[in-house]
Amino acid sequence: MKILVVNSNTTRAVTDTIAAEAQLAASPGTEIVAVTAPFGPAAIQGRTDAVIAAHATLEAIIRHPGPVDAAVIACFSDPGLMAARDAAGFPVVGIAEASMLTACMLGARFAVVTVAPGTVRPIHELAAAYGLAQRLASVRALDVGVLESHADREGTVRGLKGLIERAASEDRADVAILGGAVTAGMARQLSAGSPIPVLDGVACAVRQAELLAGLGRKARS
Amino acid sequence: MKILVVNSNTTRAVTDTIAAEAQLAASPGTEIVAVTAPFGPAAIQGRTDAVIAAHATLEAIIRHPGPVDAAVIACFSDPGLMAARDAAGFPVVGIAEASMLTACMLGARFAVVTVAPGTVRPIHELAAAYGLAQRLASVRALDVGVLESHADREGTVRGLKGLIERAASEDRADVAILGGAVTAGMARQLSAGSPIPVLDGVACAVRQAELLAGLGRKARS
Amino acid sequence: MKILVVNSNTTRAVTDTIAAEAQLAASPGTEIVAVTAPFGPAAIQGRTDAVIAAHATLEAIIRHPGPVDAAVIACFSDPGLMAARDAAGFPVVGIAEASMLTACMLGARFAVVTVAPGTVRPIHELAAAYGLAQRLASVRALDVGVLESHADREGTVRGLKGLIERAASEDRADVAILGGAVTAGMARQLSAGSPIPVLDGVACAVRQAELLAGLGRKARS
Amino acid sequence: MKILVVNSNTTRAVTDTIAAEAQLAASPGTEIVAVTAPFGPAAIQGRTDAVIAAHATLEAIIRHPGPVDAAVIACFSDPGLMAARDAAGFPVVGIAEASMLTACMLGARFAVVTVAPGTVRPIHELAAAYGLAQRLASVRALDVGVLESHADREGTVRGLKGLIERAASEDRADVAILGGAVTAGMARQLSAGSPIPVLDGVACAVRQAELLAGLGRKARS
Amino acid sequence: MKILVVNSNTTRAVTDTIAAEAQLAASPGTEIVAVTAPFGPAAIQGRTDAVIAAHATLEAIIRHPGPVDAAVIACFSDPGLMAARDAAGFPVVGIAEASMLTACMLGARFAVVTVAPGTVRPIHELAAAYGLAQRLASVRALDVGVLESHADREGTVRGLKGLIERAASEDRADVAILGGAVTAGMARQLSAGSPIPVLDGVACAVRQAELLAGLGRKARS
Amino acid sequence: MKILVVNSNTTRAVTDTIAAEAQLAASPGTEIVAVTAPFGPAAIQGRTDAVIAAHATLEAIIRHPGPVDAAVIACFSDPGLMAARDAAGFPVVGIAEASMLTACMLGARFAVVTVAPGTVRPIHELAAAYGLAQRLASVRALDVGVLESHADREGTVRGLKGLIERAASEDRADVAILGGAVTAGMARQLSAGSPIPVLDGVACAVRQAELLAGLGRKARS
């Protein structure tokens, strides 16, 4: 099975990190093909960036040469998801939608933790748009910034650990989702001593993409 | 991987059908252990039945001897789901929740088609309880009854085919879910010429159970 | 008029307390018949307990020998209420629903105060399921535990008094409901100096059961 | 116990009908004091009428000489209800709110049947304002007009009977409410052969007013 | 163009302030005709006042001699708005609805700041009734009282400035609305150094009234 | 005052029609500057088109040389509206949002009539996203197609007349909105004999843009 994973921003180093994590999460026999957005912002930090990234992500999916079995949009605002789903001849999942729906099967309410404070309100809006407002216990952000969190991986994991513990005790969340791409891989470290399950968006999306492709659905043609 | 599949009613023939379909849907290497509700109604046809079946399903899961990796509740009202999730040390999924969440990743709105007219309103209420009211395009029922539909499999498939076509054209559904256990296996027949993907609850639930168990989540101890 | 009052847990001492309070609340000429759940948990403290208690409560109502005019489910999660309503040939009310609907006729928003912190979230969910989310000002809990609150009645009344005052001033509640069975009878003590009316679930439910039976409704047969 | 019943329009004949029905519904020992709105429209048929009637009803309640134990607003748009509740030193109930809340204790969903087609949309809006939109199965109207329905009582009962049967079978309502004052008393005739319970707004409101006054609530002063 | 502006309370000094601000906000060629409520409370401070003011405002509009092109209800609870709209042969706008809808075109979420703490909850309810609950970031009140704020204009502007800054930074509001008539004119002073746009209800309503009249709508005859 | 009007598709003939209508709707002294989307689809007929058009519209606004006082997005799906609002230093309005909000000030519920059946569901979703779901009475479509409706202007006006009459009588709409750009100008013809006011999106948006620019808001810088 071949899964196309699109990094919606234009920074290749982020594509590499996502590709590595996606391959780790995939089942044996699944091939990950990671691509970078053909144009647009280096990082997605606001509505303007998101509009351009949606277009770029859509182009990356519909212009991709050669067949794939499913596609993953690896950006926590799921840019262009519904349009790509309409346009593609195979299943398309976004890391936010996939991780939120997966979390719904593990508990009554989930929290999202992130390293980008500017995404707190958009994540609330996205959950509401998916009909999941009452399942979202809270969105908590580490106030360090995306690049700093990448540079100081140990400090970031420590900070996220604290957020997850507060989401469990104060917000009564049953599950935590790491809401971002820069934190890919940290869920494995954080799961160990956590009071609640910790989900990674990229891992959930790759698995759900495999599941959907395996169901042999999307046979409209 | 070992998955416990619970038939929430006490009719063993239905357990056998569900077990066969679950095994067909499972990945290679997954073992299906199917059990019948230890007490309760032979068929679940109203709120009273559902209250008893919830208790019986819960007992079947928490009293099951020997370890399993996940459990599936194979009844489209998901009886006892949230309680079983709280009580078990492994992931538990219901066929209604699992198929509705899976459908959300295949299109904007899904329809449920069923052979039991009495479940139309409960299915609307269940979708609303999961926060998915605006994703539910319609619930359409074949007015034949559960046992009759089991006896006349060809006629049932023909009837469901018509319902799915109307769900697609009149209700503008993007995906159809077969809402019941007696229809297990018919999705494979119906997918062929269907204008929209057709999902089977048991198949979706088994796959989602595998996915959740594979994520190594639910490590609360 | 004869009213069946079901204690949904299996602790007979609690049944006695409820029976006494129910008789005090009833009109002259009303006979209270109190029964204890035939099986299940000694106290209802989570979803698992609630599923078993729903079954036990349903059995207590439909297996009750001899005619009654109405039934009251005396547990603040209203276990089995909708199913019992479908199954019985007479009106059935739950103490949570009855007190919330009564409160709606006394003011714009009500608060629930309880001695069981673990019930805070379930009470929010129950109010939402009844469509009353926007009428619920707050749920406040005394962190003492059910048995301790029973042992220290004076301290519990003092603690609840403080919660009610904060519900009135900080949450702007117009009415307070005592959310539990162990607090039955305390509303009489608390009403005296309270800034807002204080309702007891058992008293409201007994009165509403009398009212419904008196209307001569439920004549479906 | 003394209950003030306010006819929100200025037609004395309607006041007399309401008073008679209220006295029939009341418990032994309850005295009904019926008054007519001191000014305003002869019948309430739109938003403009409702605004004036709200003021007139409020005046009727707060200017009433001598003590009463509770008040009933006998108009199915509940004009001035929330304001009267804030202003009065005793419980105030409206016939729409009281009958809708009573209906909630008799089944999952209620229908309202009326002789005034112009009130269909306002009744939907009122139920939504009370948080009961999802409990309202339907509003069905007989297209005869208020005065005609009063003149032809037999024909009206026959027409309402048909509406209630369709509300039960087509809209799957569990309870029917007669939504108006002109139909006061017809519920007794209609209950006999009805597939679902039939509630009268004035009767429900009088009983709920007795209940609230009996609880000894509203002791803020 | 001639616009009728109704002060819903009976205090003529407030009418004069509103009239002056309305004229300042109006386009060249627009004539403002300001009237005072013919009866009712001197200030609107609760539900009882609002019911009387709704009637008085309605009378002021439908009894006004001579033709006008549109009317403005200058009270932040929009008393009688929907009824006046039904009754009048020209467009009618309320200062709350007009400013909230205008704010929606300037940003995702708006805050309301006011000098009357008692109006905080009603403003939340009004926004919800208009369907704008999720667009309302917060309602913040200066705890000084209406008359005091009028007497100490400089202190009030200083206090409101602080509230607006907190609405922008803590509540993440994109726009601020001055929710009241006594603060008419202060928006001009507050806009200068504000981090977000500041809207005045009277100014928005006058402009929207001009717009609606200009569209030549409301030609129902 | 100078207002930039963006046609979100790449068909210049449509830009010309929109420009003419915008100029007719504008106040004396307002200059309309109409531009065509710099890239993207010739007509916007689905989610994929809408994603590309959002990017193109955003570019047209932020790359426009020379100062403007406000901008109008002339496409009934409001592509890129929220992002353009964040990015621009002046007010930006969309024809759907502007006409829906204007309609809210003319009546309780509005209908949208269109010549493109494929936009019925997206218009429902857009209204819901703006919080106006309960204000939307219905969306009715003429099944003729965009180009055909442009070719047969007389037939289209006749067809829309019928839809508006049904929206008024069957859906009880208080206002009708022409939902599209190809119908610009027809509102003037349709208003004459219509039972309810008829609004044109382009006209409403131009007027609202003038209003917002006139308020001197959006002074964040």
Side-chain angles (χ1 to χ4, degrees):
Chain A
M1 189 178 291
K2 187 183 286 191
I3 294 178
L4 176 66
V5 177
V6 181
N7 170 22
S8 298
N9 70 36
T10 52
T11 306
R12 268 152 212 274
V14 174
T15 310
D16 294 343
T17 308
I18 291 167
E21 187 60 26
Q23 195 65 65
L24 270 174
S27 301
T30 294
E31 179 191 350
I32 299 295
V33 182
V35 300
T36 304
F39 57 85
I44 297 165
Q45 312 198 64
R47 285 187 225 269
T48 305
D49 294 338
V51 160
I52 301 169
H55 183 193
T57 301
L58 182 65
E59 293 287 325
I61 291 173
I62 63 186
R63 303 261 178 263
H64 185 75
V68 299
D69 296 288
V72 166
I73 298 176
C75 171
F76 211 76
S77 60
D78 291 349
L81 176 60
M82 299 303 167
R85 202 167 267 166
D86 275 8
F90 43 79
V92 182
V93 303
I95 64 173
E97 192 194 49
S99 57
M100 289 181 186
L101 295 179
T102 303
C104 285
M105 288 182 279
L106 288 174
R109 300 198 310 160
F110 58 87
V112 178
V113 296
T114 169
V115 297
T119 64
V120 170
R121 204 169 93 191
I123 289 172
H124 274 284
E125 292 172 1
L126 195 62
Y130 292 156
L132 302 174
Q134 81 263 41
R135 303 296 289 269
L136 177 60
S138 63
V139 183
R140 286 180 175 267
L142 217 55
D143 199 2
V144 292
V146 171
L147 294 182
E148 290 76 3
S149 75
H150 201 249
D152 178 16
R153 200 168 170 94
E154 281 315 296
T156 301
V157 167
R158 243 190 338 267
L160 291 173
K161 188 169 183 294
L163 289 191
I164 291 169
E165 284 164 3
R166 292 181 61 192
S169 62
E170 293 176 31
D171 311 331
R172 288 185 227 125
D174 302 307
V175 190
I177 294 171
L178 299 190
V182 76
T183 49
M186 294 186 190
R188 282 195 307 279
Q189 282 172 269
L190 288 162
S191 281
S194 171
I196 52 176
V198 181
L199 298 179
D200 176 65
V202 172
C204 289
V206 167
R207 295 293 186 100
Q208 292 288 2
E210 289 179 341
L211 185 153
L212 296 173
L215 284 171
R217 307 299 168 213
K218 195 75 185 184
R220 291 193 210 191
S221 77
Chain B
M1 187 179 293
K2 189 182 284 190
I3 294 179
L4 176 67
V5 176
V6 181
N7 170 21
S8 299
N9 70 36
T10 52
T11 306
R12 266 152 214 275
V14 174
T15 311
D16 294 343
T17 308
I18 291 167
E21 186 60 26
Q23 194 66 63
L24 269 173
S27 300
T30 294
E31 180 191 350
I32 299 295
V33 182
V35 301
T36 304
F39 57 84
I44 297 165
Q45 312 197 65
R47 285 187 227 269
T48 305
D49 294 338
V51 160
I52 301 169
H55 184 193
T57 302
L58 183 63
E59 292 289 326
I61 291 172
I62 64 187
R63 303 265 176 259
H64 185 73
V68 299
D69 295 288
V72 166
I73 298 176
C75 171
F76 210 76
S77 59
D78 291 349
L81 176 60
M82 299 303 166
R85 202 167 266 166
D86 275 8
F90 42 80
V92 182
V93 302
I95 65 172
E97 191 194 49
S99 58
M100 290 180 187
L101 296 179
T102 303
C104 285
M105 289 181 279
L106 288 175
R109 300 199 311 159
F110 58 89
V112 178
V113 296
T114 169
V115 297
T119 63
V120 170
R121 203 168 93 190
I123 290 171
H124 275 285
E125 293 172 0
L126 194 62
Y130 293 156
L132 302 175
Q134 81 263 42
R135 304 294 289 268
L136 178 61
S138 63
V139 184
R140 285 180 176 268
L142 218 55
D143 199 1
V144 293
V146 171
L147 294 182
E148 290 75 3
S149 74
H150 200 248
D152 179 13
R153 200 170 170 90
E154 281 315 297
T156 300
V157 166
R158 242 191 336 268
L160 291 173
K161 188 169 183 294
L163 291 191
I164 291 168
E165 285 163 3
R166 293 180 61 191
S169 62
E170 293 175 32
D171 311 331
R172 288 186 227 123
D174 302 308
V175 190
I177 295 171
L178 298 191
V182 77
T183 48
M186 294 186 190
R188 282 194 307 278
Q189 283 173 267
L190 288 162
S191 280
S194 171
I196 51 176
V198 182
L199 297 180
D200 176 66
V202 173
C204 289
V206 167
R207 295 294 186 98
Q208 291 289 1
E210 290 178 341
L211 185 153
L212 295 173
L215 283 171
R217 307 301 168 211
K218 196 75 184 182
R220 284 196 217 190
S221 87
Chain C
M1 188 177 295
K2 188 182 287 191
I3 294 178
L4 175 67
V5 177
V6 182
N7 171 21
S8 299
N9 70 38
T10 53
T11 306
R12 267 153 212 276
V14 174
T15 310
D16 294 343
T17 308
I18 291 168
E21 187 59 26
Q23 195 64 66
L24 270 175
S27 300
T30 294
E31 179 191 351
I32 298 296
V33 182
V35 300
T36 304
F39 57 85
I44 297 166
Q45 313 198 62
R47 286 187 226 268
T48 305
D49 294 337
V51 161
I52 301 170
H55 184 193
T57 301
L58 183 63
E59 292 288 326
I61 291 173
I62 64 187
R63 303 265 177 260
H64 184 74
V68 299
D69 296 288
V72 166
I73 298 176
C75 171
F76 210 77
S77 60
D78 291 347
L81 177 60
M82 300 302 167
R85 202 166 268 167
D86 275 7
F90 42 80
V92 183
V93 302
I95 63 173
E97 192 193 49
S99 57
M100 289 181 186
L101 295 179
T102 303
C104 285
M105 288 181 280
L106 289 174
R109 300 198 311 159
F110 58 88
V112 178
V113 295
T114 169
V115 298
T119 63
V120 171
R121 205 170 92 190
I123 290 171
H124 275 285
E125 292 172 1
L126 195 62
Y130 292 156
L132 302 174
Q134 81 264 39
R135 305 294 290 267
L136 177 61
S138 62
V139 184
R140 286 180 175 267
L142 217 55
D143 198 1
V144 292
V146 171
L147 294 182
E148 290 76 2
S149 75
H150 200 249
D152 179 15
R153 202 171 168 91
E154 281 315 297
T156 301
V157 167
R158 236 184 351 259
L160 291 173
K161 188 170 182 295
L163 290 191
I164 292 168
E165 285 164 3
R166 292 180 61 190
S169 62
E170 292 176 31
D171 311 330
R172 286 184 230 127
D174 301 308
V175 190
I177 295 171
L178 298 190
V182 76
T183 49
M186 295 187 189
R188 282 195 307 279
Q189 282 173 267
L190 287 162
S191 281
S194 171
I196 52 177
V198 181
L199 298 180
D200 176 66
V202 172
C204 288
V206 167
R207 296 292 186 100
Q208 291 289 1
E210 290 179 340
L211 184 153
L212 295 173
L215 283 171
R217 307 300 168 212
K218 195 75 183 182
R220 289 193 214 190
S221 83
Chain D
M1 188 179 293
K2 187 182 286 191
I3 295 178
L4 176 67
V5 177
V6 181
N7 170 20
S8 299
N9 70 38
T10 52
T11 306
R12 266 153 213 276
V14 174
T15 310
D16 294 343
T17 309
I18 292 168
E21 187 60 26
Q23 194 65 64
L24 270 175
S27 300
T30 294
E31 179 191 350
I32 299 295
V33 182
V35 300
T36 304
F39 57 85
I44 298 166
Q45 312 197 65
R47 286 187 226 270
T48 304
D49 293 337
V51 160
I52 301 170
H55 183 193
T57 301
L58 183 64
E59 293 288 327
I61 291 173
I62 63 186
R63 303 265 177 260
H64 185 73
V68 299
D69 295 288
V72 166
I73 298 175
C75 171
F76 210 76
S77 61
D78 291 348
L81 175 60
M82 300 302 166
R85 202 166 267 166
D86 275 7
F90 43 80
V92 182
V93 302
I95 65 173
E97 191 193 49
S99 58
M100 290 181 187
L101 296 179
T102 303
C104 285
M105 288 183 279
L106 288 174
R109 298 197 312 160
F110 59 88
V112 178
V113 295
T114 169
V115 297
T119 63
V120 170
R121 202 168 95 190
I123 289 171
H124 275 284
E125 292 173 359
L126 195 62
Y130 293 156
L132 302 174
Q134 82 263 41
R135 305 295 289 268
L136 177 61
S138 62
V139 184
R140 285 181 177 267
L142 219 54
D143 198 1
V144 292
V146 171
L147 293 181
E148 290 74 4
S149 74
H150 200 249
D152 179 13
R153 200 170 170 91
E154 282 315 299
T156 301
V157 166
R158 241 188 343 266
L160 291 173
K161 187 169 182 296
L163 290 191
I164 291 168
E165 284 163 3
R166 293 180 61 191
S169 62
E170 293 176 31
D171 310 331
R172 288 185 226 125
D174 302 308
V175 191
I177 295 171
L178 298 191
V182 77
T183 51
M186 295 186 190
R188 281 194 309 278
Q189 282 172 267
L190 288 162
S191 281
S194 172
I196 51 175
V198 181
L199 298 179
D200 176 66
V202 172
C204 288
V206 167
R207 295 295 185 99
Q208 292 288 2
E210 290 179 341
L211 186 153
L212 295 173
L215 283 170
R217 308 298 167 213
K218 195 73 185 186
R220 290 192 212 192
S221 75
Chain E
M1 188 178 294
K2 187 183 286 192
I3 295 178
L4 176 67
V5 177
V6 181
N7 171 21
S8 298
N9 70 38
T10 51
T11 305
R12 268 153 211 275
V14 174
T15 310
D16 294 343
T17 309
I18 292 168
E21 186 60 25
Q23 195 64 67
L24 269 175
S27 299
T30 294
E31 179 191 351
I32 299 295
V33 182
V35 301
T36 305
F39 57 85
I44 298 166
Q45 313 198 63
R47 285 187 226 270
T48 305
D49 294 338
V51 160
I52 301 169
H55 183 193
T57 301
L58 183 64
E59 293 289 327
I61 291 173
I62 64 187
R63 303 265 176 261
H64 185 72
V68 299
D69 296 287
V72 166
I73 298 176
C75 170
F76 211 77
S77 60
D78 291 347
L81 176 60
M82 300 303 167
R85 204 167 267 168
D86 275 7
F90 43 79
V92 182
V93 301
I95 64 173
E97 191 193 50
S99 57
M100 289 181 187
L101 296 179
T102 303
C104 285
M105 288 182 278
L106 289 175
R109 300 199 310 160
F110 58 86
V112 178
V113 295
T114 169
V115 297
T119 63
V120 170
R121 204 169 93 188
I123 289 172
H124 275 284
E125 292 172 1
L126 194 62
Y130 292 156
L132 302 175
Q134 80 264 40
R135 306 293 291 267
L136 178 61
S138 62
V139 184
R140 286 181 175 267
L142 217 55
D143 198 2
V144 292
V146 171
L147 294 182
E148 289 76 3
S149 75
H150 200 249
D152 179 13
R153 201 170 170 91
E154 282 313 298
T156 301
V157 167
R158 240 186 345 264
L160 291 173
K161 187 169 183 297
L163 290 191
I164 292 168
E165 284 163 3
R166 292 180 62 190
S169 62
E170 294 176 29
D171 311 331
R172 287 185 229 125
D174 302 308
V175 190
I177 294 172
L178 299 190
V182 75
T183 49
M186 295 187 190
R188 282 194 307 279
Q189 282 172 270
L190 288 161
S191 281
S194 170
I196 52 176
V198 182
L199 297 180
D200 176 66
V202 172
C204 288
V206 167
R207 295 293 185 100
Q208 292 288 1
E210 290 178 339
L211 184 154
L212 295 173
L215 283 170
R217 306 299 165 211
K218 196 71 184 186
R220 283 195 219 192
S221 84
Chain F
M1 189 179 296
K2 187 182 286 190
I3 295 179
L4 175 67
V5 176
V6 181
N7 170 22
S8 298
N9 70 37
T10 52
T11 305
R12 266 153 213 275
V14 174
T15 309
D16 293 343
T17 308
I18 291 167
E21 186 61 27
Q23 193 66 64
L24 270 174
S27 301
T30 294
E31 178 190 352
I32 299 296
V33 182
V35 300
T36 304
F39 57 85
I44 297 165
Q45 313 198 62
R47 285 188 227 269
T48 305
D49 293 338
V51 160
I52 301 170
H55 184 191
T57 301
L58 182 64
E59 294 288 326
I61 291 173
I62 63 187
R63 303 265 177 261
H64 185 73
V68 299
D69 295 287
V72 166
I73 298 176
C75 171
F76 210 76
S77 60
D78 292 348
L81 176 60
M82 300 302 166
R85 202 166 267 166
D86 275 8
F90 43 80
V92 182
V93 302
I95 65 173
E97 191 193 50
S99 57
M100 290 182 186
L101 297 178
T102 302
C104 285
M105 288 181 280
L106 288 175
R109 300 198 313 160
F110 59 87
V112 178
V113 295
T114 167
V115 296
T119 64
V120 170
R121 202 168 94 191
I123 289 171
H124 276 284
E125 293 173 0
L126 195 61
Y130 293 155
L132 302 175
Q134 81 263 42
R135 305 293 290 268
L136 177 61
S138 63
V139 184
R140 285 181 176 267
L142 216 57
D143 198 2
V144 293
V146 171
L147 293 182
E148 290 76 3
S149 75
H150 199 250
D152 179 14
R153 200 172 170 91
E154 280 315 297
T156 300
V157 166
R158 241 188 341 266
L160 291 174
K161 187 168 183 296
L163 290 190
I164 291 168
E165 284 163 3
R166 293 180 62 191
S169 62
E170 294 176 30
D171 311 331
R172 287 185 228 122
D174 302 308
V175 189
I177 295 171
L178 298 190
V182 77
T183 49
M186 295 187 190
R188 281 194 308 277
Q189 281 172 269
L190 288 162
S191 281
S194 171
I196 52 177
V198 181
L199 297 180
D200 175 66
V202 172
C204 289
V206 167
R207 295 294 185 101
Q208 292 288 1
E210 290 178 340
L211 185 153
L212 295 173
L215 284 170
R217 308 300 167 210
K218 196 74 182 185
R220 290 192 212 194
S221 77

